[in-house]
Amino acid sequence: MDQIKKAAIGEKVLFDEGIIGVVEKASDHAVIVKIIKNPSLQEFANDKTVVSHRKYKIIID
């Protein structure tokens, strides 16, 4: 089984249609991110969402 690189608090992640967020909390299966860039038409309550570890890529600055 492939190991998934899990993001840590404070790291930036890229997911769905180019959305970028900063990890605020991490659990075993997902992270809660604060949206900082949203070029898509999706809207998020309070600019936060939950993203599965399988659905994002970590951005290295």
Side-chain angles (χ1 to χ4, degrees):
M1 188 169 174
D2 292 335
Q3 282 291 84
I4 298 171
K5 172 73 170 108
K6 296 179 181 179
I9 294 172
E11 288 187 303
K12 290 182 184 176
V13 293
L14 172 70
F15 59 100
D16 292 343
E17 302 173 28
I19 300 169
I20 297 174
V22 177
V23 177
E24 291 191 335
K25 186 172 181 181
S27 72
D28 289 339
H29 303 287
V31 291
I32 296 175
V33 297
K34 172 82 172 161
I35 308 299
I36 58 173
K37 182 177 179 185
N38 184 2
S40 75
L41 298 177
Q42 295 184 51
E43 293 185 21
F44 299 94
N46 299 319
D47 290 328
K48 293 183 182 181
T49 192
V50 176
V51 184
S52 167
H53 290 302
R54 299 175 189 265
K55 302 287 183 177
Y56 64 77
K57 293 184 180 179
I58 299 171
I59 298 174
I60 306 297
D61 286 330

